[in-house]
Amino acid sequence: MTELNALTIAAARDLLRAGDLTSTALTQACLTAIEGAGRLNAFVHKTPDLAMARAEAADAWLKAGDAPALCGIPIGIKDLFCTEGVPSQAASRILEGFCPEYESTVSAQLRDAGAVMLGKLNMDEFAMGSSNESSVYGNAINPWRADGQDLTPGGSSGGSAAAVAADLCLGATGTDTGGSIRQPAAFTGTVGIKPTYGRCSRWGIVAFASSLDQAGPMTRTVRDAAIMLEAMCGHDPKDSTSADLAVPDFEAMLTGDIRGQKIGIPREYRMDGMPAEIEALWSGGSAMLRDAGAEIVDISLPHTKYALPAYYVIAPAEASSNLARYDGVRYGHRAKLGPGDGITQMYEKTRAEGFGPEVQRRVMIGTYVLSAGFYDAYYNRARKVRTLIKQDFDRAFAQGIDAILTPATPSAAFQLGAMDDADPVQMYLNDVFTVPVNLAGLPGIALPAGLDAHGLPLGLQLIGRPWDEAALLNTAEVLERAAGFVSKPEKWW
């Protein structure tokens, strides 16, 4: 019998509506699992009292009838989302002690849909990282293991991925700036979707790179992702980049039929030195979609090789601007000042103490590329490259391509600390398959499709047309069903 905390959102929803399960029992099962999983360091601010109060309210709503699909479902919230009265630090020392007096739009929509917040989840500091090793809370740890070694759950949404994979919650929120939902999903054998830029409000989410950041759900199945995404989407007048578009019933559009669709395979994603396991997984995914009635088409995205360099100019530039507000004046950490120290010393000491090495590195890069004499040489040029990357995708979709299939990551999860002494660029290469999607503002989903030689999950990525998450989810569910991935990590924590 499936343990309550291991249920899918869809299965739990049906049991709750039928009266065969209560949200209080389901929530208690998750809280018990969280207490026993401290070794994973996934939940960093636990809210058990709030969770049980919301679960009781959800049970009353369910009994009254007409409750939304997420009513009574226990979820985790990434520490990047501001939550009223609950610490929201973005995993940074500089926001130590910050408890917002307001709720982010996305977490408010989930709350209003009856979802039960279990607590806040670990992440890379200010969402800057691909391994969850830059957090002030310490590393989040992947529930999957190889040779007894601690592995990264990916980043920046590593806590969210680890919590879902370890059955600590039924779903979790993540954010994706260059792959921070999809890469952790691939590393942990879970499903993560980054919707089209503007589909989910960014209001109340601590900003990294404003033109790239987008919230999305992390779940166990594609159907669960469809259910949770619908609750997270919608127009928000408080966010000028939020799209005023109707939100489809994503679950209702999971027809399982992709006959006649054209799936593009971009030749530029066949990188030198790509592991044979990733190549085989990709080929296998293509065959599964072909067997389901889709036509597989080779396509070209010629500016792909410039995506990472462009991203690592644009994202740090926007970060350096967004993080200027953390100065010790209004909220969060403030350094102790010595005799004779003025406001300049307060800024310098506070930011030196409050920001970790990766955040400092990106702020310095961003400040450099925005400075006089380098703005045109770097930032403006990167923006032009971004336009060319978007045009590559537009051209492919204009030629009738319905979705694009690629690997999600260049490898399975790697050992924590493995890149401590490496060039930072080696870490950045983890985002090689995911970054172009953010630069083009497109929806992308990662789902588990196999295991490597060490028994670790490997993921595939599907990229969809703008605003067509419904079709993307439908294609993903067809691939999910064909892949038949049911593996779970053995419990060691």
Side-chain angles (χ1 to χ4, degrees):
M1 180 181 170
T2 303
E3 294 183 1
L4 294 182
N5 52 297
L7 289 168
T8 63
I9 290 174
R13 183 257 324 261
D14 294 345
L15 290 169
L16 287 165
R17 285 182 168 175
D20 297 329
L21 175 65
T22 64
S23 178
T24 49
L26 183 58
T27 300
Q28 188 56 62
C30 289
L31 292 172
T32 301
I34 291 166
E35 286 306 309
R39 178 83 174 80
L40 298 178
N41 199 27
F43 276 87
V44 291
H45 297 294
K46 300 168 189 173
T47 56
D49 293 342
L50 177 63
M52 291 309 294
R54 288 190 181 175
E56 288 169 8
D59 282 333
W61 194 353
L62 286 158
K63 190 171 286 188
D66 198 31
L70 275 183
C71 188
I73 302 296
I75 62 170
I77 303 291
K78 186 177 179 179
D79 196 38
L80 208 64
F81 293 77
C82 287
T83 43
E84 185 179 0
V86 178
S88 304
Q89 284 186 235
S92 179
R93 187 184 177 199
I94 208 159
L95 277 171
E96 193 171 27
F98 177 56
C99 285
E101 296 181 6
Y102 55 90
E103 190 84 19
S104 77
T105 297
V106 165
S107 57
Q109 287 174 182
L110 290 167
R111 177 200 63 201
D112 295 346
V116 175
M117 184 177 80
L118 298 165
K120 304 298 285 292
L121 292 159
N122 207 346
M123 55 177 281
D124 279 297
E125 184 182 8
F126 281 104
M128 298 181 194
S130 302
S131 64
N132 214 135
E133 292 176 282
S134 67
S135 170
V136 73
Y137 310 117
N139 302 338
I141 298 174
N142 196 328
W144 292 82
R145 297 196 112 189
D147 304 322
Q149 301 295 320
D150 286 347
L151 304 177
T152 174
S156 64
S157 306
S160 300
V164 173
D167 297 336
L168 308 186
C169 55
L170 276 63
T173 62
T175 58
D176 193 311
T177 306
S180 289
I181 286 174
R182 289 160 291 149
Q183 184 247 26
F187 277 4
T188 56
T190 56
V191 174
I193 180 168
K194 182 206 91 70
T196 310
Y197 181 80
R199 181 63 98 172
C200 290
S201 171
R202 292 186 299 107
W203 192 86
I205 301 174
V206 179
F208 165 13
S210 301
S211 74
L212 299 163
D213 298 342
Q214 190 62 192
M218 303 185 74
T219 59
R220 296 197 188 107
T221 67
V222 173
R223 183 169 294 272
D224 284 2
I227 294 168
M228 194 167 168
L229 180 63
E230 184 181 346
M232 295 172 68
C233 290
H235 178 243
D236 180 9
K238 296 194 293 289
D239 174 9
S240 63
T241 61
S242 172
D244 191 2
L245 293 172
V247 179
D249 182 341
F250 294 124
E251 186 184 12
M253 299 175 82
L254 298 176
T255 64
D257 185 3
I258 60 165
R259 288 172 295 180
Q261 285 197 8
K262 291 184 177 181
I263 307 296
I265 307 294
R267 63 180 69 105
E268 289 80 9
Y269 280 54
R270 286 197 162 82
M271 308 285 181
D272 291 339
M274 180 186 286
E277 289 173 322
I278 300 292
E279 182 69 53
L281 186 83
W282 194 9
S283 298
S286 299
M288 291 173 197
L289 292 173
R290 185 185 294 111
D291 292 344
E295 179 186 352
I296 306 301
V297 182
D298 284 329
I299 63 170
S300 178
L301 301 171
H303 296 94
T304 294
K305 62 183 176 181
Y306 304 116
L308 268 181
Y311 174 85
Y312 280 104
V313 169
I314 293 168
E318 295 187 14
S320 74
S321 176
N322 279 326
L323 270 60
R325 71 193 71 176
Y326 305 110
D327 52 16
V329 174
R330 286 156 291 189
Y331 42 75
H333 176 73
R334 179 185 293 181
K336 289 182 180 176
L337 303 181
D341 283 347
I343 191 148
T344 301
Q345 288 74 27
M346 186 188 75
Y347 290 161
E348 290 173 348
K349 289 182 177 180
T350 295
R351 291 166 70 82
E353 290 178 9
F355 290 148
E358 182 60 33
V359 173
Q360 291 183 22
R361 179 185 295 118
R362 298 201 196 191
V363 167
M364 290 171 71
I365 291 170
T367 304
Y368 179 82
V369 301
L370 289 176
S371 61
F374 299 103
Y375 185 90
D376 286 328
Y378 291 102
Y379 186 66
N380 252 352
R381 191 168 295 181
R383 288 171 62 201
K384 291 174 182 175
V385 170
R386 179 181 189 171
T387 300
L388 294 172
I389 289 167
K390 185 179 185 308
Q391 288 173 351
D392 286 348
F393 284 106
D394 290 345
R395 200 170 296 114
F397 292 129
Q399 292 168 357
I401 297 297
D402 294 288
I404 296 167
L405 179 70
T406 78
T409 58
S411 71
F414 50 87
Q415 201 172 321
L416 285 166
M419 298 198 184
D420 284 355
D421 299 322
D423 183 328
V425 174
Q426 290 302 115
M427 183 73 84
Y428 299 164
L429 289 172
N430 271 285
D431 301 329
V432 66
F433 299 127
T434 52
V435 155
V437 177
N438 297 78
L439 291 171
L442 299 171
I445 187 169
L447 63 152
L451 298 172
D452 76 351
H454 299 285
L456 298 175
L458 296 171
L460 287 171
Q461 174 181 232
L462 282 162
I463 304 166
R465 295 171 175 270
W467 312 114
D468 203 0
E469 291 86 0
L472 179 65
L473 286 158
N474 185 48
T475 305
E477 194 186 44
V478 169
L479 184 56
E480 176 185 59
R481 194 179 305 128
F485 186 92
V486 293
S487 301
K488 302 277 285 184
E490 289 185 19
K491 188 170 180 180
W492 55 268
W493 56 91

